Short mmCIF file of all heavy atoms in Angstrom, two decimals:
data_model
loop_
_atom_site.label_atom_id
_atom_site.label_comp_id
_atom_site.label_asym_id
_atom_site.label_seq_id
_atom_site.Cartn_x
_atom_site.Cartn_y
_atom_site.Cartn_z
N LEU A 160 0.84 -1.18 -0.01
CA LEU A 160 -0.04 -0.02 -0.04
C LEU A 160 0.90 1.24 0.00
O LEU A 160 1.74 1.44 0.87
CB LEU A 160 -0.91 -0.03 1.23
CG LEU A 160 -1.76 1.21 1.49
CD1 LEU A 160 -2.66 1.54 0.32
CD2 LEU A 160 -2.55 1.14 2.79
N ARG A 161 0.67 2.11 -0.97
CA ARG A 161 1.37 3.38 -1.07
C ARG A 161 0.33 4.49 -1.07
O ARG A 161 -0.45 4.60 -1.97
CB ARG A 161 2.28 3.43 -2.31
CG ARG A 161 3.36 2.40 -2.40
CD ARG A 161 4.32 2.66 -3.49
NE ARG A 161 5.31 1.64 -3.62
CZ ARG A 161 6.39 1.69 -4.35
NH1 ARG A 161 6.59 2.77 -5.16
NH2 ARG A 161 7.32 0.70 -4.40
N THR A 162 0.45 5.37 -0.05
CA THR A 162 -0.47 6.48 0.07
C THR A 162 0.25 7.78 -0.40
O THR A 162 1.43 7.81 -0.60
CB THR A 162 -0.96 6.68 1.51
OG1 THR A 162 0.22 6.79 2.36
CG2 THR A 162 -1.78 5.44 1.94
N GLY A 163 -0.59 8.82 -0.59
CA GLY A 163 -0.01 10.07 -1.08
C GLY A 163 0.41 10.06 -2.50
O GLY A 163 1.29 10.86 -2.92
N VAL A 164 -0.09 9.15 -3.33
CA VAL A 164 0.33 9.00 -4.67
C VAL A 164 -0.83 9.46 -5.60
O VAL A 164 -1.89 8.81 -5.59
CB VAL A 164 0.67 7.52 -5.07
CG1 VAL A 164 1.02 7.45 -6.54
CG2 VAL A 164 1.86 7.03 -4.20
N THR A 165 -0.65 10.55 -6.36
CA THR A 165 -1.65 11.02 -7.23
C THR A 165 -1.33 10.60 -8.66
O THR A 165 -0.38 11.20 -9.27
CB THR A 165 -1.74 12.59 -7.09
OG1 THR A 165 -2.09 12.98 -5.79
CG2 THR A 165 -2.84 13.13 -8.08
N VAL A 166 -2.05 9.69 -9.22
CA VAL A 166 -1.77 9.17 -10.55
C VAL A 166 -2.26 10.25 -11.56
O VAL A 166 -3.38 10.77 -11.49
CB VAL A 166 -2.52 7.85 -10.76
CG1 VAL A 166 -2.55 7.48 -12.23
CG2 VAL A 166 -1.89 6.71 -9.91
N ARG A 167 -1.39 10.55 -12.48
CA ARG A 167 -1.69 11.53 -13.52
C ARG A 167 -1.71 11.06 -14.91
O ARG A 167 -2.31 11.59 -15.77
CB ARG A 167 -0.63 12.61 -13.41
CG ARG A 167 -0.56 13.29 -12.01
CD ARG A 167 0.45 14.42 -11.96
NE ARG A 167 0.70 14.94 -10.60
CZ ARG A 167 -0.11 15.74 -9.94
NH1 ARG A 167 -1.23 16.21 -10.55
NH2 ARG A 167 0.19 16.10 -8.72
N THR A 168 -1.01 9.85 -15.19
CA THR A 168 -0.92 9.36 -16.52
C THR A 168 -1.16 7.81 -16.49
O THR A 168 -0.86 7.14 -15.45
CB THR A 168 0.45 9.66 -17.14
OG1 THR A 168 1.50 8.99 -16.35
CG2 THR A 168 0.72 11.11 -17.25
N VAL A 169 -1.55 7.37 -17.63
CA VAL A 169 -1.71 5.86 -17.79
C VAL A 169 -1.15 5.46 -19.16
O VAL A 169 -1.31 6.27 -20.13
CB VAL A 169 -3.16 5.46 -17.68
CG1 VAL A 169 -4.08 6.13 -18.70
CG2 VAL A 169 -3.31 3.88 -17.83
N ARG A 170 -0.50 4.32 -19.20
CA ARG A 170 0.01 3.82 -20.45
C ARG A 170 -0.74 2.54 -20.76
O ARG A 170 -0.68 1.58 -20.06
CB ARG A 170 1.46 3.53 -20.35
CG ARG A 170 2.16 3.08 -21.65
CD ARG A 170 3.67 3.00 -21.49
NE ARG A 170 4.03 1.77 -20.72
CZ ARG A 170 5.13 1.70 -19.99
NH1 ARG A 170 5.97 2.71 -19.91
NH2 ARG A 170 5.35 0.62 -19.27
N ALA A 171 -1.42 2.55 -21.91
CA ALA A 171 -2.25 1.44 -22.34
C ALA A 171 -2.09 1.23 -23.86
O ALA A 171 -3.04 1.39 -24.65
CB ALA A 171 -3.69 1.61 -21.97
N THR A 172 -0.86 0.97 -24.23
CA THR A 172 -0.55 0.84 -25.71
C THR A 172 -0.25 -0.62 -25.96
O THR A 172 0.27 -1.41 -25.17
CB THR A 172 0.61 1.71 -26.05
OG1 THR A 172 1.74 1.43 -25.21
CG2 THR A 172 0.28 3.19 -25.94
N PRO A 173 -0.44 -1.02 -27.31
CA PRO A 173 -0.27 -2.48 -27.66
C PRO A 173 1.12 -3.02 -27.36
O PRO A 173 1.19 -4.21 -26.96
CB PRO A 173 -0.55 -2.45 -29.14
CG PRO A 173 -1.44 -1.28 -29.34
CD PRO A 173 -0.98 -0.22 -28.42
N GLY A 174 2.17 -2.28 -27.58
CA GLY A 174 3.53 -2.88 -27.49
C GLY A 174 4.22 -2.79 -26.17
O GLY A 174 5.34 -3.27 -26.04
N GLU A 175 3.58 -2.19 -25.13
CA GLU A 175 4.20 -1.98 -23.89
C GLU A 175 3.36 -2.52 -22.69
O GLU A 175 2.12 -2.56 -22.77
CB GLU A 175 4.48 -0.50 -23.64
CG GLU A 175 5.40 0.14 -24.73
CD GLU A 175 5.62 1.61 -24.44
OE1 GLU A 175 4.81 2.38 -24.85
OE2 GLU A 175 6.63 1.94 -23.81
N ARG A 176 4.03 -2.77 -21.64
CA ARG A 176 3.29 -3.22 -20.37
C ARG A 176 2.47 -2.02 -19.90
O ARG A 176 2.96 -0.83 -19.97
CB ARG A 176 4.24 -3.68 -19.31
CG ARG A 176 5.01 -4.93 -19.58
CD ARG A 176 5.87 -5.32 -18.40
NE ARG A 176 5.12 -5.90 -17.29
CZ ARG A 176 5.45 -5.90 -16.05
NH1 ARG A 176 6.53 -5.20 -15.67
NH2 ARG A 176 4.72 -6.53 -15.16
N PRO A 177 1.28 -2.35 -19.41
CA PRO A 177 0.47 -1.21 -18.91
C PRO A 177 1.15 -0.54 -17.65
O PRO A 177 1.92 -1.24 -16.90
CB PRO A 177 -0.84 -1.87 -18.52
CG PRO A 177 -0.53 -3.33 -18.39
CD PRO A 177 0.61 -3.58 -19.39
N ALA A 178 0.95 0.68 -17.45
CA ALA A 178 1.57 1.40 -16.36
C ALA A 178 0.84 2.68 -16.04
O ALA A 178 0.04 3.18 -16.88
CB ALA A 178 3.04 1.75 -16.72
N VAL A 179 1.03 3.21 -14.83
CA VAL A 179 0.51 4.50 -14.47
C VAL A 179 1.70 5.28 -13.90
O VAL A 179 2.77 4.68 -13.46
CB VAL A 179 -0.61 4.44 -13.41
CG1 VAL A 179 -1.85 3.70 -14.02
CG2 VAL A 179 -0.12 3.65 -12.15
N GLY A 180 1.60 6.60 -13.88
CA GLY A 180 2.64 7.44 -13.32
C GLY A 180 2.06 8.64 -12.58
O GLY A 180 0.97 9.08 -12.84
N ASP A 181 2.87 9.15 -11.61
CA ASP A 181 2.48 10.29 -10.83
C ASP A 181 3.34 11.49 -11.16
O ASP A 181 3.34 12.50 -10.36
CB ASP A 181 2.49 9.97 -9.39
CG ASP A 181 3.85 9.64 -8.81
OD1 ASP A 181 4.88 9.59 -9.64
OD2 ASP A 181 4.08 9.46 -7.62
N GLY A 182 4.13 11.39 -12.18
CA GLY A 182 5.07 12.54 -12.53
C GLY A 182 6.46 12.31 -12.02
O GLY A 182 7.36 12.97 -12.43
N ARG A 183 6.59 11.49 -11.02
CA ARG A 183 7.90 11.17 -10.47
C ARG A 183 8.29 9.70 -10.64
O ARG A 183 9.38 9.38 -10.94
CB ARG A 183 7.95 11.52 -8.96
CG ARG A 183 7.79 12.96 -8.62
CD ARG A 183 7.73 13.15 -7.08
NE ARG A 183 6.59 12.43 -6.48
CZ ARG A 183 6.42 12.24 -5.26
NH1 ARG A 183 7.27 12.73 -4.36
NH2 ARG A 183 5.41 11.59 -4.72
N HIS A 184 7.28 8.82 -10.49
CA HIS A 184 7.46 7.38 -10.57
C HIS A 184 6.56 6.77 -11.61
O HIS A 184 5.41 7.29 -11.80
CB HIS A 184 7.32 6.72 -9.27
CG HIS A 184 8.26 7.28 -8.17
ND1 HIS A 184 9.59 6.99 -8.12
CD2 HIS A 184 7.92 7.99 -7.11
CE1 HIS A 184 10.08 7.63 -7.06
NE2 HIS A 184 9.15 8.24 -6.40
N THR A 185 6.99 5.71 -12.29
CA THR A 185 6.10 4.92 -13.14
C THR A 185 5.93 3.56 -12.49
O THR A 185 6.88 2.95 -12.08
CB THR A 185 6.75 4.75 -14.54
OG1 THR A 185 6.92 6.06 -15.15
CG2 THR A 185 5.86 3.93 -15.42
N TYR A 186 4.66 3.15 -12.44
CA TYR A 186 4.33 1.88 -11.83
C TYR A 186 3.85 0.94 -12.95
O TYR A 186 2.78 1.13 -13.40
CB TYR A 186 3.24 2.02 -10.73
CG TYR A 186 3.60 3.00 -9.64
CD1 TYR A 186 3.37 4.35 -9.75
CD2 TYR A 186 4.24 2.55 -8.47
CE1 TYR A 186 3.73 5.26 -8.79
CE2 TYR A 186 4.58 3.44 -7.48
CZ TYR A 186 4.30 4.77 -7.60
OH TYR A 186 4.65 5.64 -6.60
N GLU A 187 4.70 -0.03 -13.31
CA GLU A 187 4.41 -1.01 -14.34
C GLU A 187 3.81 -2.24 -13.73
O GLU A 187 4.17 -2.61 -12.62
CB GLU A 187 5.62 -1.32 -15.12
CG GLU A 187 6.01 -0.46 -16.26
CD GLU A 187 7.12 -1.05 -17.09
OE1 GLU A 187 7.63 -2.13 -16.82
OE2 GLU A 187 7.50 -0.39 -18.11
N ALA A 188 2.99 -2.96 -14.46
CA ALA A 188 2.44 -4.28 -14.01
C ALA A 188 1.87 -4.99 -15.22
O ALA A 188 1.73 -4.45 -16.27
CB ALA A 188 1.47 -4.01 -12.91
N ASP A 189 1.47 -6.22 -14.93
CA ASP A 189 0.81 -6.96 -15.99
C ASP A 189 -0.65 -6.45 -16.15
O ASP A 189 -1.24 -6.51 -17.22
CB ASP A 189 0.70 -8.42 -15.62
CG ASP A 189 2.11 -9.10 -15.48
OD1 ASP A 189 2.89 -8.87 -16.39
OD2 ASP A 189 2.33 -9.75 -14.51
N LEU A 190 -1.23 -5.94 -15.03
CA LEU A 190 -2.62 -5.46 -15.03
C LEU A 190 -2.69 -4.19 -14.21
O LEU A 190 -2.17 -4.10 -13.18
CB LEU A 190 -3.55 -6.53 -14.46
CG LEU A 190 -5.00 -6.20 -14.30
CD1 LEU A 190 -5.69 -6.13 -15.73
CD2 LEU A 190 -5.69 -7.21 -13.41
N VAL A 191 -3.47 -3.18 -14.78
CA VAL A 191 -3.75 -1.97 -14.06
C VAL A 191 -5.27 -1.93 -13.84
O VAL A 191 -6.04 -2.13 -14.79
CB VAL A 191 -3.32 -0.76 -14.79
CG1 VAL A 191 -3.89 0.50 -14.20
CG2 VAL A 191 -1.85 -0.60 -14.92
N VAL A 192 -5.70 -1.75 -12.57
CA VAL A 192 -7.09 -1.71 -12.24
C VAL A 192 -7.36 -0.30 -11.77
O VAL A 192 -6.87 0.24 -10.84
CB VAL A 192 -7.43 -2.65 -11.10
CG1 VAL A 192 -8.93 -2.52 -10.77
CG2 VAL A 192 -7.08 -4.16 -11.48
N ALA A 193 -8.26 0.38 -12.56
CA ALA A 193 -8.68 1.77 -12.19
C ALA A 193 -9.87 1.70 -11.25
O ALA A 193 -10.99 1.43 -11.76
CB ALA A 193 -9.00 2.53 -13.47
N ALA A 194 -9.65 1.91 -10.02
CA ALA A 194 -10.69 1.91 -9.03
C ALA A 194 -10.64 3.24 -8.31
O ALA A 194 -10.88 3.40 -7.09
CB ALA A 194 -10.50 0.77 -8.01
N ASP A 195 -10.42 4.31 -9.12
CA ASP A 195 -10.13 5.63 -8.56
C ASP A 195 -11.37 6.53 -8.65
O ASP A 195 -11.26 7.78 -8.75
CB ASP A 195 -8.96 6.29 -9.25
CG ASP A 195 -8.96 6.17 -10.82
OD1 ASP A 195 -9.73 5.33 -11.32
OD2 ASP A 195 -8.21 6.95 -11.44
N GLY A 196 -12.54 5.95 -8.64
CA GLY A 196 -13.76 6.71 -8.39
C GLY A 196 -14.35 7.43 -9.57
O GLY A 196 -13.91 7.31 -10.75
N THR A 197 -15.36 8.22 -9.25
CA THR A 197 -16.09 8.95 -10.25
C THR A 197 -15.21 9.85 -11.08
O THR A 197 -15.39 9.99 -12.32
CB THR A 197 -17.26 9.78 -9.62
OG1 THR A 197 -18.05 8.93 -8.81
CG2 THR A 197 -18.13 10.46 -10.64
N ASP A 198 -14.22 10.48 -10.47
CA ASP A 198 -13.33 11.44 -11.21
C ASP A 198 -12.11 10.71 -11.70
O ASP A 198 -11.00 11.28 -11.80
CB ASP A 198 -13.00 12.57 -10.35
CG ASP A 198 -14.17 13.45 -10.00
OD1 ASP A 198 -14.93 13.85 -10.96
OD2 ASP A 198 -14.39 13.78 -8.84
N SER A 199 -12.17 9.42 -12.03
CA SER A 199 -11.10 8.60 -12.46
C SER A 199 -10.16 9.28 -13.47
O SER A 199 -10.61 9.66 -14.57
CB SER A 199 -11.57 7.26 -12.95
OG SER A 199 -10.50 6.53 -13.54
N VAL A 200 -8.90 9.47 -13.14
CA VAL A 200 -7.95 9.99 -14.09
C VAL A 200 -7.70 8.98 -15.20
O VAL A 200 -7.57 9.34 -16.37
CB VAL A 200 -6.61 10.32 -13.38
CG1 VAL A 200 -5.52 10.69 -14.35
CG2 VAL A 200 -6.82 11.48 -12.43
N ILE A 201 -7.67 7.71 -14.80
CA ILE A 201 -7.37 6.63 -15.78
C ILE A 201 -8.52 6.59 -16.82
O ILE A 201 -8.29 6.48 -18.03
CB ILE A 201 -7.14 5.34 -15.12
CG1 ILE A 201 -5.89 5.43 -14.23
CG2 ILE A 201 -7.00 4.19 -16.13
CD1 ILE A 201 -5.63 4.18 -13.40
#
């Protein structure tokens, strides 16, 4: 669990692993789940 992380970008392109970023770090994974509510950035 990482708190204080504001996701600003998402990568969902055919040739790359999905990822999200907060402007400082990129979080890559096999799967990204957008559970960020009504105002979902993703």
